[in-house]
Amino acid sequence: MSGTPEGPHSATVAAPGTVRPPVTERHTLGRTAAELRDYGAAFRAAHLAMAVLDREGLVISANDALAALLGIEPAALSAQAAADLVDLESDPRSWHAYREVLDSRRSRFRCTRRLKHSSGHALWAEITVSPVPESPTVLLSIADISDRRELQARLRHLQMHDPVTRLPNRTLFFERLASALEASAQVKGASYVEGGPYVEGASHPDGAGPGDSTDTGSSPGTGDGGTGRIGLCYLDLDGFKAVNDTLGHRTGDRLLAAVASRLTECADHDGYTRSGGHLVARLGGDEFAILVEDSTGTEQLADLARSVLSALQRPFDLAGQRLSVSASIGVVERSTAGTTPTGLMQAADTTLYWAKADGKARWTLFDPERNAHRMTRQALTSSLRPAIERDEFVLQYQPLVGMADGIVGGVEALVRWNHPQFGTLAPNRFIGIAEEDGSIVQLGRWVLRTACRQARQWQKDHPRVRPLFVSVNVAVRQVWDSDLVADVAEILAETGLAPQLLQLELTESAVMGSAGRPLQALQALSDMGVRIAIDDFGTGYSNLAYLSRLPVSVLKLDGSFVRGFRYDEGVHPSPADETIVEAMVQLAHRLGLTVTAECVETSGQAARLQRIGCDTGQGWLFSRPVAPERIAEMIAVSPLEA
Ligand code: C2E
Ligand code: MG
Ligand code: MG
């Protein structure tokens, strides 16, 4: 391979590894004039937009496709700097790589660019520049990849958005969160530049590198002038499940979409930011998040949370249905330094939990001190399941006493946890956790079995006394997530306890809106002969008419009603309460239900409850919850011992 280098630039010494062959005159000379004419015609008529450039990067000739692509007359293209035509100078890295090809120090350069047609519309172009073999010229070709880009963008949009609310989904949310935290942690410019150059064979062969996304963008404040802080409102609708269960998924979906648009409004009208709205995402179910990049402090987040709560307060009109919802919001605001997505989300999750626990329909700010206590909660959560196996739970029993005759007819089983580390724990400390992580199913089964076995044992030990019934609390999740009916049947058979001696306490919310399974379960249990009681009645829907249509036979009036009866402690009684309770008892009786009053602490309360017509009482006046041996002693002295 020998020959005379031609053209001003061919004298440049090729860098090691470049593949451009030495140009020889021999080849061009070997072509006939007809051949050259054909090549020229083919070049001009080709569908791919192309231009032949000299080593200065000036257009020698351009084809019609290129002229059409840019909307410029073919003649006007000649002698133009190609770099201007396709905007290569704006990005230093592209410019450098392009120069290297012109100087024969690189075999090929390709990049993606957003170009403007002379008529104004934009298009996505894949630009390739490479030397023409055996010629001093360089070929520039431009493929219009707008359709491909649009398809990619659309696919990405689908992958990143929730179809119900059209909001960004969990994936996009976490991507944005990660990039917001990363951007502030990294030195600017270290990441991939959109449309940047790459050498053939590099890692993004189709030009769709990680930076090619069109809809995630990076945070507006990733560069200079960012606050270095980040905030999050993590939101969960209160009682959404009930809407879904009672009104159906279509209404549920409509509600979610309506909520989404109110959230977006709030995020867009945050008075603190100059640069438009914050990312609002649906993280799943009825959970939403508003991400505030470059937050200015907790005040901004607090204002946002307040505006969200008030926006949701207006009732929703959904295809003729008027619905009201509320939401609980966990608010976290902190410096981005040292913050990880996981850390931020955990804090938000905990804070949301506090908002719920504090009574819902509110926002709560993350509190590091309160978080320290959460450790115990975590410790409890992790030791709950093993504790069931290790037999760390015990039952106490509290007498249920006839108001008219003072006779103990039954007992309520109340679970306690003898924790090796924390001592004896009341159910309020762990039942909620057990419900959340599902271990309530296993624990509930243990309680049921132990209580039934105990009731049967008392019966055996005191054959001549009227047997006590045992009342067992059943958590919502036991009705939904386990086969309660089968469990009860099995345990009754195994222990030999008569179904009439078992009462199950469910809360109102567990049986309301129960079009499907729970209702069937209640009916099946009732058919078996098991009694159903509604626990803590009066704290929920208090829909007596509805309840009376269910196979429910007992109402357990919540302790808060009885508390209004404290005559003898110098506290003024609340006549309103008394009137309400009296009406409730009368109505319950008319509907065929018996009434048990909880938390009877004084004889004054007992007297009033008896006058009002309550059938049964439970409370410290009669007995605290006690060990089974104590109940056995009570039975032994029972007047019914014949
Ligand atoms: P509950 O079913 O309403 O039980 C009555 C609660 O009131 C018991 O609290 C009892 O100790 C308390 N109490 C009884 N008499 C009085 C009184 O005169 N004054 C006052 N101030 N309180 C009184 P405990 O044992 O802490 O149980 C709390 C709740 O935990 C129960 O409320 C029940 O909802 C739940 N629970 C208890 N055991 C179980 C169980 O085995 N399974 C499930 N799922 N929940 C349980
Ligand atoms: Mg109870
Ligand atoms: Mg109760």
Side-chain angles (χ1 to χ4, degrees), residues 479-552:
V479 189
W480 286 100
D481 292 1
S482 73
D483 195 345
L484 184 65
V485 181
D487 286 350
V488 168
E490 186 191 312
I491 287 169
L492 287 177
E494 175 193 308
T495 58
L497 187 72
Q500 291 70 25
L501 294 180
L502 177 62
Q503 171 173 300
L504 296 179
E505 299 190 9
L506 285 91
T507 57
E508 227 175 321
S509 57
V511 299
M512 285 298 283
S514 52
R517 234 171 103 206
L519 182 63
Q520 283 175 1
L522 291 193
Q523 192 60 55
L525 289 165
S526 162
D527 290 348
M528 230 185 262
V530 173
R531 240 192 345 259
I532 308 290
I534 299 298
D535 204 353
D536 305 332
F537 182 79
T539 57
Y541 307 84
S542 306
N543 190 338
L544 259 178
Y546 178 86
L547 285 175
S548 69
R549 274 183 264 127
L550 303 179
V552 167

Side-chain angles (χ1 to χ4, degrees), residues 1-6 22-26:
M1 298 278 266
S2 67
T4 325
E6 51 170 38
V23 178
T24 63
E25 295 220 314
R26 191 158 36 97

Side-chain angles (χ1 to χ4, degrees), residues 395 398 412-416 426-428 431 435 440 443-444 447 472-476 478 505 507 535-536 556 558 563 598-601 618-621 623-625:
L395 292 186
Q398 190 176 30
E412 176 175 5
L414 294 159
V415 67
R416 276 93 184 86
N428 297 344
I431 291 290
E435 282 223 54
I440 190 69
L443 178 60
V447 169
V472 177
N473 294 284
V474 174
V476 184
Q478 281 174 270
E505 299 190 9
T507 57
D535 204 353
D536 305 332
K556 292 193 73 179
D558 190 65
R563 237 163 263 144
E598 295 178 356
C599 290
V600 185
E601 295 181 0
Q618 173 183 4
W620 298 345
L621 174 69
S623 165
R624 299 231 172 196

